């Protein structure tokens, strides 16, 4: 993979900068050039992601990602709070128990779960 970056001084004054970049704050153009086989693999993978079989398998991962996100946001699981395998293992077990208790509470109080977005603009779609 080759990354090509133009100079901000060259791009900032160019009247066609917004035609080259989509970000309103970008001050220069950046290109990523891939080998042909990498590009074909990427295109093949993107096409597979549109199939129903892939989406069905991904639902499992989406649930796991939600659990990981919950452990990071609620319990600070980004880093271990202890040194040593035994204490770190205990931290993970207690975090898992805490998440289970939080989920039981949410179930009993009928707290709605967050919806999983499948597209970036799904949140902008009208609900009614």
């Amino acid at each position: 993979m080759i990354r090509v970056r133009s100079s901000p001084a060259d791009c900032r004054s160019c009247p066609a900068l917004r035609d080259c970049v989509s970000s309103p704050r970008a001050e220069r153009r950046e290109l990523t050039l891939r080998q042909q086989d990498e590009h074909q693999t990427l295109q093949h993978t993107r096409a597979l992601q549109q199939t129903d079989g892939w989406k069905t398998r991904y639902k499992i991962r989406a649930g796991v990602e939600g659990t990981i996100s919950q452990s990071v946001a609620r319990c600070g699981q980004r880093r271990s709070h202890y040194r040593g395998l035994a204490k770190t293992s205990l931290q993970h077990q207690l975090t898992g128990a805490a998440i289970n208790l939080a989920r039981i509470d949410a179930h009993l109080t009928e707290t709605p779960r967050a919806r999983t977005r499948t597209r970036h603009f799904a949140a902008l779609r009208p609900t009614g």
Side-chain angles (χ1 to χ4, degrees):
M1 184 178 339
I2 301 170
R3 292 187 189 263
V4 179
R5 293 181 180 169
S6 59
S7 168
D10 293 337
C11 287
R12 202 175 296 132
S13 61
C14 177
L17 176 63
R18 295 297 143 224
D19 295 333
C20 291
V21 296
S22 58
S23 171
R25 296 183 355 212
E27 296 181 351
R28 66 179 176 195
R29 183 170 182 172
E30 297 181 13
L31 298 173
T32 302
L33 307 173
R34 293 184 171 89
Q35 298 289 336
Q36 184 173 359
D37 56 339
E38 277 185 54
H39 179 72
Q40 289 173 346
T41 302
L42 184 61
Q43 294 301 319
H44 177 69
T45 303
R46 286 179 178 163
L48 283 177
Q49 290 175 352
Q50 302 305 314
T51 63
D52 291 335
W54 189 91
K55 290 177 183 179
T56 302
R57 285 194 335 262
Y58 189 77
K59 286 180 184 179
I60 297 168
R61 178 174 175 160
V64 171
E65 291 288 339
T67 302
I68 292 171
S69 175
Q70 191 175 18
S71 72
V72 169
R74 282 193 170 191
C75 304
Q77 280 293 101
R78 178 85 53 206
R79 297 176 187 266
S80 176
H81 297 264
Y82 304 100
R83 288 187 182 173
L85 191 57
K87 289 181 182 179
T88 302
S89 176
L90 179 62
Q91 176 190 351
H92 289 305
Q93 292 169 17
L94 292 175
T95 299
I99 289 172
N100 287 339
L101 289 173
R103 288 182 174 181
I104 290 169
D105 176 62
H107 177 73
L108 294 175
T109 59
E110 298 181 2
T111 304
R113 295 187 306 179
R115 293 183 57 186
T116 302
R117 289 190 316 238
T118 56
R119 292 179 288 148
H120 296 293
F121 295 109
L124 301 176
R125 184 177 39 216
T127 58

